Amino acid sequence: NRPFTVAIDGPAAAGKGTISKQVADHFGFAHLDTGLLYRAVGARTLDGEDALTAAEALVPADLDREGLRTPQVAEAASRVAAMPAVRKALVAFQKGFARRPGGAVLDGRDIGTVICPDADAKLFVTASAEVRAARRHLELTGKGLAVTYDEVLADQLARDARDTGRADAPLTQAPDAMLIDTSDMTIEQAVARAIAEIESRM
Ligand code: C5P
């Protein structure tokens, strides 16, 4: 009787994070935002550390570090995420998390394809590039960052291209993942769809 695992993948600002958090709360599962692992490693490279050394030395407390949600760190994260050795160093932690006795939700880019190919429920959450950039722009300006919509869109397209185009664990929908396009959905609607899909797998 193994624990229940939910895999949620998709590009940046599609609503993955919010959906994952609410799904985890709903079912009482633990939640891991795996993007934070790459962001924590990326942040350390911005401090001058070697990416692989940083990945191998990563501890859970690093995920609570301030400043991981900035565009600069996102960019650094997607660079280190293209390094196979860095990805490999982060696999065991993620697989261990997925097997938590009370159930787990992991969100990222390669959860349903590489980290948890046997997940009990898989979702691929996406939205149009314009909708995602508008959401991220609102979020960043809300935090007081001086960025334009065009800058956010350009950064996002570059990051999407790198995440989708890399050789190792590229961003792609697993064949058995349910697609949720949140472009024309409220967050409540998207969460309800996700919960219904997961319940149908229980
Ligand atoms: O999800 P988030 O935007 O925080 O992820 C930051 C970067 O980390 C992504 O652009 C991607 O390059 C990388 N990532 C990854 N695999 C994951 C999660 C994130 O390659 N499972």
Side-chain angles (χ1 to χ4, degrees), residues 2-3 5 7 111-122 176:
R2 57 188 194 86
T5 307
I111 308 304
T113 51
V114 174
I115 301 296
C116 305
D118 299 326
D120 301 281
K122 296 184 187 180
D176 53 348

Side-chain angles (χ1 to χ4, degrees), residues 16 34-35 38-39 77-78 81 87 108-110 159 163 166:
K16 235 174 20 232
T34 64
Y38 297 91
R39 285 175 183 262
S78 91
R87 304 199 70 83
R109 303 290 187 287
D110 65 337
R159 191 145 71 94
D163 290 347
R166 69 182 173 222

Side-chain angles (χ1 to χ4, degrees), residues 35 108 119 197:
E197 169 65 11

Side-chain angles (χ1 to χ4, degrees), residues 8-13 16-17 33-39 68-69 73-82 87 94 107-111 115 136 159-160 162-164 166 168-171:
I8 305 186
D9 292 301
K16 235 174 20 232
D33 170 357
T34 64
L36 283 178
L37 300 170
Y38 297 91
R39 285 175 183 262
L68 294 183
R69 300 275 178 202
V73 172
E75 167 79 14
S78 91
R79 289 185 186 282
V80 301
R87 304 199 70 83
Q94 295 175 83
D107 76 278
R109 303 290 187 287
D110 65 337
I111 308 304
I115 301 296
R136 187 49 53 87
R159 191 145 71 94
D160 285 351
R162 201 177 299 127
D163 290 347
T164 311
R166 69 182 173 222
D168 187 20
L171 170 65

Side-chain angles (χ1 to χ4, degrees), residues 2 4 27 29 51 65 68 75 78 99 104 125 128 132-133 145 158 166-167 169 175 181 196 198:
R2 57 188 194 86
F4 199 91
F27 292 104
F29 293 164
R65 177 177 160 168
L68 294 183
E75 167 79 14
S78 91
R99 286 192 295 266
V125 179
S128 73
R132 293 188 290 116
L145 269 94
R166 69 182 173 222
D181 185 331
I198 294 162

